[in-house]
Amino acid sequence: DVKVTQSSRYLVKRTGEKVFLECVQDMDHENMFWYRQDPGLGLRLIYFSYDVKMKEKGDIPEGYSVSREKKERFSLILESASTNQTSMYLCASTWDSAREKLFFGSGTQLSVL
Amino acid sequence: ILNVEQSPQSLHVQEGDSTNFTCSFPSSNFYALHWYRWETAKSPEALFVMTLNGDEKKKGRISATLNTKEGYSYLYIKGSQPEDSATYLCASCLRGSQGNLIFGKGTKLSVKP
């Protein structure tokens, strides 16, 4: 079975801290994604990557950056966490087509105090 | 920006009832339509990926249809069970969008025993 692993299930950080959310997949997927889920809103794409060292902005990239140094790992970085970044963060991966299903991690609930 | 709408927002049914939800999406430049089930405290799990107008897919008691010309998809659950309680997400992708999925806000289904 494909596994997408997110490093933390719950995380509490303080305003201004630098936060790293890690995601690892074990199926050699080309594409990896970071989404956030907020109540009353659909999953919103923050950043995605279609290859090592490649990244593309999604719909809401402000306040975030990403890193993909290895194919299996995609990191989301909050350079200076703010309270409006309190959210559920989901990582996903797939092969190189939107006609392939996404495999999701179990999510990280981040609270910024 | 591609807008994906789901209705109803939430649904409460009795065990044994059959039910259906709607997903609406812009029909021009359609590429793919995805359905996911997201149970509380778990990862979203893919149900179907549909690409062709008139597609019908089935997985156990759950089935889906696709109309790309008019821009809608229906998800049907026959004989709902309490374990079907979840949020059902649909997501659409436009041709040429680098494979990015745009998600609807979901339909939250509660099945009472």
Side-chain angles (χ1 to χ4, degrees):
Chain A
D1 275 355
V2 174
K3 205 162 184 183
V4 180
T5 304
Q6 292 184 230
S7 52
S8 305
R9 185 75 178 96
Y10 298 97
L11 211 51
V12 180
K13 295 291 181 181
R14 296 215 174 268
T15 302
E17 279 193 75
K18 191 168 185 176
V19 182
F20 292 86
L21 301 183
E22 305 286 348
C23 176
V24 177
Q25 50 91 6
D26 64 0
M27 273 300 288
D28 204 36
H29 286 164
E30 283 82 9
N31 292 357
M32 297 188 75
F33 304 83
W34 275 106
Y35 293 91
R36 64 178 279 178
Q37 168 74 47
D38 298 291
L41 298 175
L43 286 173
R44 292 182 294 165
L45 182 64
I46 305 170
Y47 266 98
F48 69 101
S49 168
Y50 52 88
D51 203 350
V52 175
K53 297 192 186 295
M54 306 302 289
K55 60 183 179 183
E56 294 287 341
K57 293 179 180 179
D59 298 321
I60 50 165
E62 296 78 20
Y64 303 95
S65 62
V66 289
S67 171
R68 193 160 180 206
E69 296 297 317
K70 294 185 178 181
K71 192 173 185 180
E72 66 270 19
R73 184 181 296 270
F74 191 36
S75 304
L76 181 70
I77 304 156
L78 286 66
E79 296 290 344
S80 177
S82 63
T83 54
N84 63 12
Q85 292 179 309
T86 291
S87 187
M88 167 68 79
Y89 290 88
L90 280 166
C91 174
S93 69
T94 190
W95 290 281
D96 62 350
S97 167
R99 291 181 168 181
E100 301 287 344
K101 61 184 178 181
L102 289 179
F103 293 85
F104 284 90
S106 54
T108 296
Q109 179 62 53
L110 173 67
S111 297
V112 182
L113 306 178
Chain B
I1 294 179
L2 177 64
N3 207 26
V4 176
E5 302 284 348
Q6 290 189 248
S7 62
Q9 190 174 349
S10 65
L11 199 52
H12 298 263
V13 301
Q14 290 292 137
E15 182 175 355
D17 288 350
S18 293
T19 187
N20 64 84
F21 329 130
T22 304
C23 174
S24 302
F25 53 88
S27 53
S28 57
N29 293 320
F30 171 84
Y31 189 65
L33 190 285
H34 294 221
W35 281 102
Y36 292 86
R37 174 171 59 201
W38 193 1
E39 296 178 66
T40 304
K42 293 187 178 180
S43 312
E45 180 188 351
L47 291 171
F48 307 112
V49 178
M50 307 172 80
T51 58
L52 297 175
N53 185 46
D55 254 354
E56 290 188 28
K57 296 212 171 180
K58 190 175 180 183
K59 187 176 182 178
R61 293 179 292 98
I62 304 177
S63 59
T65 61
L66 178 67
N67 183 323
T68 61
K69 294 188 186 305
E70 296 181 41
Y72 64 84
S73 175
Y74 294 135
L75 188 79
Y76 301 92
I77 302 179
K78 185 177 178 182
S80 302
Q81 300 296 309
E83 58 264 31
D84 296 328
S85 297
T87 296
Y88 291 81
L89 302 173
C90 79
S92 185
C93 177
L94 291 178
R95 192 174 299 278
S97 67
Q98 293 185 295
N100 294 349
L101 290 174
I102 303 297
F103 282 82
K105 295 178 183 179
T107 293
K108 186 171 183 179
L109 173 67
S110 299
V111 183
K112 290 185 181 179

